[in-house]
Amino acid sequence: MRLTPSLLSADFTRLAEEVRTVEEAGAHGLHLDVMDGHYVPNLTFGPIVVAAVRRCTDLPLDAHLMIGNAPEHIRAYAEAGADAIAVHPEAVPHLHKTIADLRALAVRPGLAINPLSPLASLEEALAAVDYAIVMSVNPGWGGQRFIEGSMDRVRQVRKIAERTNPSLEIVIDGGINASRIAAARDAGADVVVAGSAVFGAADPAAAVREMLAA
Amino acid sequence: MSSSGVYSCSCKIGPSILNGDLSCLGDECKRMMDAGADYLHLDVMDGHFVPNITFGATMVKWLRKKQPGVFFDLHMMVSEPEKWVDEMADAGANQYTFHLEATENPRDLIKQIRNRGMKVGIGIKPGTPVEKVLPYVSDVDMVLIMTVEPGFGGQKFMADMMPKVKHLRRNHPGLDIEVDGGVGLSTIATAAEAGANMIVSGSAVVKSPDPKSVITQLREITEKWIKQNAQQQTQ
């Protein structure tokens, strides 16, 4: 089970230190929550912050684009140094093209799936991407409560993947803490994203180590 | 604002940290204040009003913790400026500078900003004639004349924006007039002569090996022109 802390709850005035803390504690990558205040009601950060984080670490960076015009901006995030970019299918009118554009930019394409999005209508899309983020909160804010039933959705995505895309990496994101790691693993998740559970903790390094040991 | 007709504005230097090291923004802002900056100009972009996203209220909140006494001028290059007033006020912004092009109701927005205890700035892009902002000048604390197309740092200063600054300064001697975009040591004289007193400078300060020297020079040149323009006013 891999852990990619989300910088959403980090101290934005000292990102380099926050990145170093979790990297040294064993984090496998960093999850960057890009929000534009349009697709979701929060405005976090864009390519310049992604680029700044890129300069601090060699850890894989996955940019989760919760923005209203993702296809127009994927290049900026690729050039900023994102290794993987996840888009929300509802916000992408021509998903096949956007996935192809991501691959052409040498970026791993991912699909971010909102809590009530019907999984059946995403089967084909799931076969076309490298990873899927199962959202276990409504995107937009850190520190939200885990939506019950989300582990079942992970199971369902895993079932779909077994049929159509066995190497699909499944990520769960939203309200994850150490007590949920085992359930996430059992449900078939490969990666957990944790935001406030890491950076909201008094000792983020200890929180990372605890989650890795869970 | 002055009613005596005398140019009474003082020079204020407000670096923009957009081109700084955003991985240690707290240190960058401290570096600017230690170098003699009067305030910090914070560029908020939402990827819709301009084709770039920078940061939002969360960043401002964290910065406010690190720089408790510093004046934050929030340059809101966002397409629904009404949406962020409360968050920015809660985050600790001192001034909310919205773009005239982004709102259908500047008067209501001005009221909304004042209700939250913040100063009001109105910005206009290069393509917007200065006449559009004149109806609101007496209701705001500052007018921002963009001297580049907003969206990215490091662009070249547009000297053909100076007639806008001149027009504002001539008709509103007490108004705070801010310029933003490509302002540095080679362009400050042009901006100050036209009448700008609030100087936003990005790369020229932040990327300089000696920001203190750059800020000092920007201030000296601006103050020289403030004096000169005031003398011309009283003649």
Side-chain angles (χ1 to χ4, degrees):
Chain A
M1 175 67 72
R2 299 206 309 284
L3 171 65
T4 58
S6 157
L7 291 173
L8 187 56
S9 305
D11 180 349
F12 281 14
T13 63
R14 47 182 198 91
L15 287 173
E17 283 177 45
E18 298 276 65
V19 166
R20 193 166 39 243
T21 298
V22 296
E23 182 167 6
E24 284 171 5
H28 297 96
L30 291 166
H31 184 83
L32 301 166
D33 286 298
V34 175
M35 303 180 191
D36 68 353
H38 289 265
Y39 180 68
V40 293
N42 189 9
L43 172 56
T44 54
F45 51 74
I48 54 168
V49 172
V50 174
V53 172
R54 176 76 285 163
R55 284 191 293 273
C56 300
T57 179
D58 289 332
L59 281 178
L61 302 182
D62 79 273
H64 178 181
L65 303 188
M66 288 161 278
I67 67 181
N69 46 12
E72 294 157 41
H73 293 289
I74 53 173
R75 174 174 290 278
Y77 293 94
E79 287 173 358
D83 299 288
I85 293 176
V87 295
H88 279 260
E90 301 87 350
V92 175
H94 303 285
L95 194 54
H96 184 277
K97 174 151 197 326
T98 300
I99 293 170
D101 289 344
L102 284 168
R103 292 203 188 279
L105 289 165
V107 164
R108 296 175 63 229
L111 212 61
I113 307 173
N114 286 334
L116 272 185
S117 293
L119 293 172
S121 65
L122 294 173
E123 276 206 27
E124 289 145 301
L126 286 169
V129 295
D130 285 8
Y131 68 106
I133 303 177
V134 175
M135 295 300 300
S136 42
V137 295
N138 282 299
W141 300 101
Q144 293 187 78
R145 248 197 7 205
F146 179 86
I147 295 174
E148 294 305 325
S150 299
M151 295 303 179
D152 276 337
R153 284 174 66 78
V154 172
R155 258 183 216 101
Q156 286 172 62
V157 173
R158 178 51 71 203
K159 268 213 188 76
I160 294 170
E162 275 163 9
R163 277 188 283 112
T164 61
N165 186 1
S167 59
L168 181 76
E169 185 179 85
I170 300 177
V171 182
I172 184 162
D173 175 10
I176 301 293
N177 52 33
S179 68
R180 299 202 190 274
I181 301 282
R185 187 186 295 117
D186 288 343
D190 301 294
V191 182
V192 298
V193 171
S196 49
V198 171
F199 291 109
D203 185 344
V208 168
R209 285 191 293 269
E210 189 192 351
M211 292 185 78
L212 290 174
Chain B
M1 278 167 290
S2 165
S3 55
S4 68
V6 175
Y7 185 165
S8 57
C9 291
S10 60
C11 165
K12 291 182 267 270
I13 309 290
S16 156
I17 37 72
L18 208 53
N19 285 304
D21 184 348
L22 293 165
S23 70
C24 51
L25 193 52
D27 289 345
E28 285 289 74
C29 290
K30 181 173 187 304
R31 191 165 70 94
M32 291 301 106
M33 298 314 296
D34 288 347
D38 299 295
Y39 68 104
L40 290 174
H41 181 87
L42 302 176
D43 291 296
V44 175
M45 302 179 191
D46 71 352
H48 287 260
F49 182 72
V50 292
N52 194 6
I53 300 178
T54 52
F55 46 73
T58 308
M59 179 71 90
V60 178
K61 201 152 63 168
W62 280 107
L63 266 178
R64 177 49 81 208
K65 284 193 206 165
K66 303 298 164 72
Q67 298 283 333
V70 173
F71 189 95
F72 288 170
D73 167 32
L74 272 294
H75 182 185
M76 303 297 297
M77 288 164 278
V78 299
S79 65
E80 287 166 285
E82 295 82 0
K83 211 156 69 163
W84 307 105
V85 172
D86 281 332
E87 271 193 56
M88 285 303 178
D90 291 339
N94 299 97
Q95 178 165 284
Y96 197 89
T97 300
F98 66 92
H99 266 266
L100 191 59
E101 303 91 356
T103 178
E104 305 219 329
N105 210 327
R107 294 213 186 277
D108 281 356
L109 180 51
I110 290 168
K111 276 201 198 95
Q112 188 189 356
I113 296 166
R114 290 225 184 275
N115 279 343
R116 288 306 319 261
M118 293 185 286
K119 286 185 140 189
V120 184
I122 296 189
I124 56 172
K125 297 201 290 183
T128 303
V130 73
E131 285 74 21
K132 296 267 184 192
V133 81
L134 297 179
Y136 310 103
V137 168
S138 48
D139 296 322
V140 304
D141 299 288
M142 186 196 82
V143 174
L144 161 59
I145 301 298
M146 291 301 301
T147 46
V148 294
E149 191 60 41
F152 295 89
Q155 292 183 68
K156 234 178 85 164
F157 178 85
M158 294 165 78
D160 55 348
M161 294 297 111
M162 292 308 99
K164 294 184 186 179
V165 177
K166 282 198 177 99
H167 184 96
L168 282 171
R169 180 53 73 210
R170 200 167 35 238
N171 292 290
H172 302 276
L175 177 67
D176 273 330
I177 302 172
E178 185 180 60
V179 283
D180 174 12
V183 181
L185 292 176
S186 60
T187 53
I188 183 63
T190 309
E193 184 189 3
N197 67 300
M198 287 183 70
I199 310 298
V200 175
S201 182
S203 324
V205 175
V206 170
K207 288 206 197 281
S208 162
D210 189 352
K212 192 167 183 182
S213 165
V214 176
I215 289 178
T216 303
Q217 291 177 73
L218 290 174
R219 189 189 305 291
E220 275 170 8
I221 294 167
T222 306
E223 283 177 348
K224 179 191 102 181
W225 280 105
I226 287 177
K227 220 183 194 161
Q228 205 151 318
N229 286 336
Q231 282 168 356
Q232 279 177 6
Q233 279 259 311
T234 56
Q235 274 157 13

